[in-house]
Amino acid sequence: TEYNKGKLEVVNKQAFVQNVSDIRSKERKFSILTPTNKQINILTKLLNVIFNKAKKNNIFIADKLDVTFHFVKIHASETGASNSPEGIHRDGFDILIPCLVIERNNIKGGFSRFFLNKKIVFNRVIKEGRCLVVEENKNKDLFHDVTPIVLDKKDREGYRCIIGIDINFK
């Protein structure tokens, strides 16, 4: 997806590569989810808010961006499930929104953690409707992960739905 001067344009790409030094640097192919107009409008508004706040704080963000959205649903288990099985890591993007939390249902855990020089500097459960924004490539000593989620009530389904957003300047 491309974001150019406040507008979001869907460009379907099945292949995905991350600028990292582990197995995630190999090309991966995913099925394409075609977003609805409502979803595009919501995501465009989110990006506009982020970039307007960045400009107010004198943070440079290019007008044209390559944006990847990851719509992820993690199903909880009694032993724990995670969307970052690689553990503490970097993703290699200019701006990273590792989780825009859409829904948390019948789960415990799922702490988003950030590490600076191998020390935890952020450790919090992100609530529904909230997100994190990080200038990842400006902070080479910044790493992150998310702790596993486990079922709260074992007789019901549990899950966490998020949108991850990766942004590179063009």
Side-chain angles (χ1 to χ4, degrees):
T1 305
E2 290 183 354
Y3 178 84
N4 188 5
K5 296 183 180 175
K7 300 208 185 243
L8 197 61
E9 179 184 338
V10 176
V11 178
N12 290 332
K13 296 180 188 175
Q14 273 191 301
F16 180 71
V17 177
Q18 288 177 268
N19 184 21
V20 294
S21 59
D22 60 32
I23 194 161
R24 294 170 299 134
S25 67
K26 297 197 185 306
E27 183 177 275
R28 294 173 283 166
K29 293 192 177 187
F30 297 95
S31 59
I32 300 295
L33 172 67
T34 303
T36 65
N37 286 335
K38 182 178 179 181
Q39 290 169 329
I40 290 293
N41 289 336
I42 290 169
L43 295 172
T44 300
K45 286 178 186 176
L46 171 68
L47 292 175
N48 286 335
V49 166
I50 290 167
F51 297 129
N52 287 334
K53 285 188 177 194
K55 286 178 183 176
K56 282 183 184 176
N57 292 316
N58 295 319
I59 298 169
F60 168 77
I61 297 181
D63 285 331
K64 193 168 185 180
L65 309 166
D66 183 28
V67 183
T68 303
F69 297 99
H70 309 273
F71 296 82
V72 180
K73 182 175 187 178
I74 305 298
H75 293 273
S77 68
E78 290 183 36
T79 57
S82 175
N83 63 308
S84 68
E86 66 275 7
I88 298 169
H89 65 282
R90 292 179 49 79
D91 290 316
F93 296 99
D94 292 314
I95 297 177
L96 179 67
I97 303 172
C99 68
L100 166 58
V101 178
I102 305 302
E103 185 178 4
R104 290 177 55 90
N105 183 56
N106 189 41
I107 60 171
K108 293 187 231 175
F111 283 80
S112 293
R113 302 187 305 179
F114 283 89
F115 302 81
L116 188 57
N117 297 316
K118 299 182 181 177
K119 293 181 184 171
I120 292 180
V121 295
F122 184 90
N123 184 23
R124 193 171 299 158
V125 170
I126 307 304
K127 296 180 182 179
E128 290 180 11
R130 304 282 180 156
C131 69
L132 300 170
V133 180
V134 179
E135 287 184 280
E136 189 183 44
N137 279 341
K138 283 191 176 181
N139 298 290
K140 299 293 183 192
D141 295 322
L142 187 67
F143 290 76
H144 66 277
D145 76 348
V146 63
T147 63
I149 58 172
V150 295
L151 289 169
D152 186 20
K153 294 182 176 80
K154 300 188 184 349
D155 60 334
R156 294 182 22 220
E157 178 186 25
Y159 55 87
R160 178 177 183 241
C161 296
I162 66 164
I163 301 172
I165 306 171
D166 307 324
I167 301 169
N168 273 326
F169 300 152
K170 284 188 145 190

